[in-house]
Amino acid sequence: MDQHAHQTTASTLFPPCDPFDQQMVEMGGGHTLYVEQCGNPDGLPVVVLHGGPGGGCSPMMRRFFDPAIWRVILFDQRGCGRSRPHAAVVQNTTWHLVEDIERLRAMFGIDRWAVFGGSWGATLGLIYAITHPDRVAHLFLRGVFLMEQRELDWFYGGGVGAFWPEQWARFAEMIPEGERDDLIAAYNRRLFDRPPHEQVRFARAWAAWENALASVSSQGRSGEPGGEYARAFARLENHYFTNRGFLDHDGWIRANQHRIAHLPGDIVQGRYDMICPPASAYAIAANWPDVRLDIAPFAGHALSEPGIAERLVAATRRVGEVHAQAMHF
């Protein structure tokens, strides 16, 4: 849930940084992940978890970390970006992704690392930390999404549509009126039970609805997403949302949050985030003793919004400086 066209002020971020390592890593089940490393090979390790599901990483994501201090590891999750097979949902669940993260950590010989993720990346980061709390040194989260039914109802059941009725109408009117009581299910039938060229039309509508609300400055405008990107993004999001994140029950993250209560964390949240409203960030922070909740007053959801980017950079800078001498957690 964090791909968009808006760009943040260049001076907010660290300078562009090229990877010192790029590789395709076999993960089994027919999946191969694109993985890259940048920054300091001997620095503080951090894994970056992109949004979506299905969004993929971008070069901008490297720039939230001081390259002299951090060893930044980014990868495209199963089925999206440069990972293959493209738009595939077979053997593609939250638990496959958690296992992928652990395999990468072991492959790179890392004992503990920081986790940086926004939107779905925040969801995945929390689930990974709850599952492997001994492997996480710090959590940097943005635009918190807890994979709860109330959040899906807000975004796909008409809640936010009350604020953006024109955009909601375009999204909903792709579906016959008799099926609009469950748009996730209705789109699922069209993203999976149609030929690929027909899937693209509905995939673009799915992606455009989300992109239109990503930034407070967009005012509901959304560019036309590329067909192949939109198809992977929409299919994977819909697949995960249809299966409620492959979690045992609604509210799973909050029910298991006690497992990470001892970990330090930073949450950056846009006050006017229309995709992932602040209620989820507030709820998780309320029961997390060692977390800093920083609400950007004039920001929405997008990673690139200045208010969001400035606070994330400040957080990674602060944590990096604390651990810079030792260069390990």
Side-chain angles (χ1 to χ4, degrees):
M1 286 184 170
D2 62 9
Q3 296 296 311
H4 45 78
H6 303 286
Q7 296 298 313
T8 190
T9 306
S11 61
T12 299
L13 304 178
F14 290 98
C17 178
D18 292 328
F20 64 78
D21 173 48
Q22 294 173 289
Q23 52 185 300
M24 300 296 291
V25 181
E26 294 282 345
M27 287 296 178
H31 285 275
T32 304
L33 303 188
Y34 169 82
V35 185
E36 67 177 41
Q37 299 187 76
C38 62
N40 182 349
D42 298 315
L44 296 170
V46 57
V47 62
V48 176
L49 306 178
H50 65 70
C57 288
S58 71
M60 186 187 77
M61 294 178 186
R62 307 168 188 160
R63 299 178 59 193
F64 286 83
F65 309 91
D66 185 338
I69 293 177
W70 291 94
R71 175 187 179 185
V72 187
I73 298 158
L74 307 96
F75 71 100
D76 291 337
Q77 295 161 26
R78 294 186 179 214
C80 64
R82 291 147 288 189
S83 295
R84 292 294 179 267
H86 191 69
V89 299
V90 175
Q91 294 203 43
N92 192 342
T93 71
T94 305
W95 304 110
H96 286 104
L97 300 186
V98 168
E99 184 178 344
D100 290 346
I101 298 168
E102 264 298 273
R103 289 187 62 182
L104 292 176
R105 182 196 59 76
M107 184 183 82
F108 288 125
I110 295 167
D111 182 44
R112 298 170 72 228
W113 54 3
V115 176
F116 180 101
S119 196
W120 160 252
T123 318
L124 182 57
L126 286 164
I127 294 168
Y128 171 74
I130 288 168
T131 308
H132 298 284
D134 56 327
R135 299 306 184 184
V136 176
H138 196 99
L139 282 157
F140 300 102
L141 307 177
R142 185 266 311 168
V144 171
F145 173 58
L146 299 178
M147 190 58 79
E148 295 184 3
Q149 187 62 48
R150 62 179 177 81
E151 296 166 309
L152 296 174
D153 290 344
W154 163 259
F155 201 69
Y156 295 104
V160 72
F163 290 88
W164 300 94
E166 310 98 316
Q167 290 74 16
W168 174 252
R170 283 197 293 271
F171 177 63
E173 287 171 3
M174 293 286 292
I175 303 300
E177 190 170 356
E179 296 181 64
R180 291 179 197 166
D181 60 319
D182 188 344
L183 288 176
I184 292 177
Y187 268 88
N188 182 273
R189 290 187 283 273
R190 289 155 178 85
L191 291 168
F192 291 95
D193 298 337
R194 302 283 181 91
H197 70 277
E198 291 186 32
Q199 293 176 19
V200 167
R201 185 164 71 92
F202 290 95
R204 282 179 163 151
W206 179 281
W209 161 239
E210 187 164 318
N211 288 346
L213 274 61
S215 171
V216 292
S217 63
S218 71
Q219 290 300 302
R221 294 185 296 273
S222 175
E224 179 75 2
E228 278 306 293
Y229 165 79
R231 182 168 173 265
F233 181 79
R235 279 168 57 91
L236 266 67
E237 272 204 345
N238 186 283
H239 168 65
Y240 273 75
F241 297 165
T242 295
N243 290 284
R244 303 305 186 261
F246 300 92
L247 301 176
D248 287 343
H249 58 83
D250 195 44
W252 186 93
I253 291 175
R254 286 198 276 178
N256 290 279
Q257 187 185 341
H258 62 278
R259 290 178 54 81
I260 62 168
H262 63 290
L263 296 176
D266 284 88
I267 298 175
V268 174
Q269 176 71 42
R271 173 66 71 189
Y272 299 106
D273 188 335
M274 289 285 164
I275 297 174
C276 298
S280 291
Y282 182 82
I284 200 112
N287 294 297
W288 190 347
D290 197 10
V291 73
R292 296 184 183 212
L293 174 59
D294 192 352
I295 296 184
F298 300 107
H301 185 71
L303 177 63
S304 63
E305 295 210 52
I308 301 292
E310 289 164 8
R311 286 164 169 78
L312 286 171
V313 167
T316 65
R317 190 191 298 274
R318 186 190 74 251
V319 174
E321 288 173 353
V322 168
H323 297 275
Q325 280 191 323
M327 281 299 185
H328 64 77
F329 289 110

